[in-house]
Amino acid sequence: MWLSGEKLATAIEKLSAPVPQPDGSKDPREAPRRRADALEMVLDMAAGAGERPVTAPPAALINLSVPADTPDKSALAFGGSITHNTLLETSCDGVVVMTIVDGERVPLEMGRSKRLFTASQRRALFERDRCCIKCGAPASRTQAHHIAHWSDGGATDLANGCLLCASCHADVHHNGWDVYMGPDAHPWLIPPEVVDRRRRPIPAYNRRFADELPNAA
């Protein structure tokens, strides 16, 4: 939920910027009204706005500050301090701008800004995984996860990606689940000891329950 809140706050901040009037005069709306209008725009886009066409704005950047000497004290612009695991989860999906700062919060280095998995790469993940690899949630409700974390140098490609719904994505980053690419070129899961003391590998959902998925081969 923390990442959803950060995305919502970032979108509202972007959409609530003052908009000049057609005659060039300044936006007459006060800040609270602009933020309320921005929230309504977000809700309209999420709901499809009925019959009214809505053009989604460019993706809002999620800003992340990382202290050079204490990276475990990284902080989101709106959500505040985050753990290292949360940092890794944040960098999996969406647009992240990472800024390295010194003890006085002075920027030392601006990291790369990148939408991690392209549309064609996500289509390839959809074709291979077909659903959340852990629980089987529809592919349309999943996020692209880096098996070897992007922030640790992991590649953004099919061999290093898999589909996880938001809940299972959090399990992988925070609750001891691991993912690795198996010899069958499909992702496999390793549960935490609280689930399986021997931590025996589990194939992806679509490999376990292919007959239960639509259009299964």
Side-chain angles (χ1 to χ4, degrees):
M1 293 300 293
W2 56 266
L3 183 54
S4 298
E6 185 72 16
K7 289 179 178 179
L8 176 60
T10 302
I12 289 176
E13 180 74 9
K14 181 180 181 68
L15 294 170
S16 63
V19 179
Q21 298 297 289
D23 62 1
S25 60
K26 71 175 188 178
D27 194 327
R29 300 172 299 165
E30 297 293 333
R33 173 59 187 274
R34 295 199 308 271
R35 286 193 287 269
D37 290 346
L39 175 59
E40 183 175 4
M41 289 175 64
V42 171
L43 294 175
D44 281 348
M45 285 184 281
E51 298 300 321
R52 295 187 293 113
V54 173
T55 301
L61 297 178
I62 295 176
N63 295 298
L64 178 66
S65 297
V66 182
D69 296 331
T70 54
D72 58 324
K73 295 183 179 180
S74 301
L76 294 165
F78 298 99
S81 298
I82 61 174
T83 66
H84 180 66
N85 283 342
T86 297
L87 165 62
L88 297 177
E89 185 176 354
T90 303
S91 65
C92 264
D93 213 10
V95 178
V96 178
V97 173
M98 187 179 298
T99 306
I100 309 299
V101 297
D102 65 12
E104 301 300 323
R105 310 298 294 179
V106 176
L108 300 176
E109 176 186 349
M110 291 296 292
R112 58 183 172 173
S113 170
K114 180 181 180 183
R115 181 168 295 280
L116 300 179
F117 282 89
T118 66
S120 59
Q121 287 172 325
R122 286 186 64 87
R123 284 195 295 271
L125 289 173
F126 278 31
E127 177 67 22
R128 187 196 66 198
D129 295 347
R130 300 177 57 202
C131 59
C132 172
I133 66 165
K134 182 171 176 286
C135 74
S140 60
R141 293 183 2 220
T142 61
Q143 302 166 345
H145 167 72
H146 285 79
I147 296 173
H149 299 304
W150 179 61
S151 58
D152 292 337
T156 301
D157 56 28
L158 185 64
N160 191 45
C162 66
L163 298 181
L164 290 167
C165 70
S167 176
C168 293
H169 202 174
D171 276 346
V172 168
H173 280 284
H174 300 282
N175 297 326
W177 286 82
D178 291 320
V179 182
Y180 74 97
M181 191 60 66
D184 58 354
H186 283 75
W188 284 62
L189 294 142
I190 301 178
E193 288 187 2
V194 295
V195 175
D196 179 3
R197 186 173 57 85
R198 296 170 59 187
R199 303 202 72 195
R200 288 166 292 190
I202 303 171
Y205 190 96
N206 71 319
R207 307 290 278 178
R208 287 176 280 151
F209 304 107
D211 292 341
E212 298 181 14
L213 296 173
N215 303 316

